[in-house]
Structures are given as structure tokens and as C-alpha cells.
Amino acid sequence: MQPDKAKHLRLKYELQKAGTSFSAIARELGVTHSTVLAVSNSKSVSARVQQAIGDKLGISPAELWPDRYPNPEEEA
């Protein structure tokens, strides 16, 4: 997995606009801040963290990380 700094910065900005942060998500999920940052930076994968970020932004994880969620229509 390649780190995606641009995506991370965009997510950070969008979360701030939504009135939350990576730290707040980490506290809500009971995980470390670095775990949430690793997912945001595409250094690791966690469906739970991806879902939490997506929920805060009102966007599905598949839209935020399309490479991690293959489109079933394309596989048919």
C-alpha cells in the first residue's frame, strides 16, 4: 500500500469542516490516533475505521477508497 498524503489531507480538511477529527474518531472507536491516521494515509486497512470516517463525512467507504471496494458490476 502506498501512502496517499493528498487523500489524507483532504479527509482531515473535510472532517474539520464537519466538526470532528481523526482524534475524535479514534476515541469513539476505542483505537489509537495512529491507527486512524494509518488508515487515512492508506498505510493500513480497517473496515471499521473506514466506515467511521465515511459516516462522519456522509460518504461511503467505497467512494473514499474505491481501490479497496471493487465494484460488483465491473466483476460481472
Side-chain angles (χ1 to χ4, degrees):
M1 260 178 267
Q2 289 292 100
D4 190 341
K5 189 69 170 174
K7 180 179 281 186
H8 168 74
L9 292 173
R10 190 184 89 241
L11 290 173
K12 181 178 179 179
Y13 172 74
E14 293 297 332
L15 286 170
Q16 287 174 339
K17 282 184 14 181
T20 192
S21 66
F22 293 126
S23 294
I25 291 170
R27 282 190 300 274
E28 289 173 16
L29 296 178
V31 300
T32 64
H33 180 252
S34 60
T35 297
V36 177
L37 292 181
V39 172
S40 173
N41 277 304
S42 298
K43 291 182 180 178
S44 70
V45 177
S46 167
R48 188 168 154 236
V49 172
Q50 291 171 351
Q51 186 65 54
I53 292 170
D55 288 348
K56 296 293 182 186
L57 298 177
I59 302 170
S60 76
E63 290 177 81
L64 293 171
W65 291 278
D67 54 316
R68 298 180 188 175
Y69 296 88
N71 186 343
E73 295 174 8
E74 291 176 3
E75 295 177 358

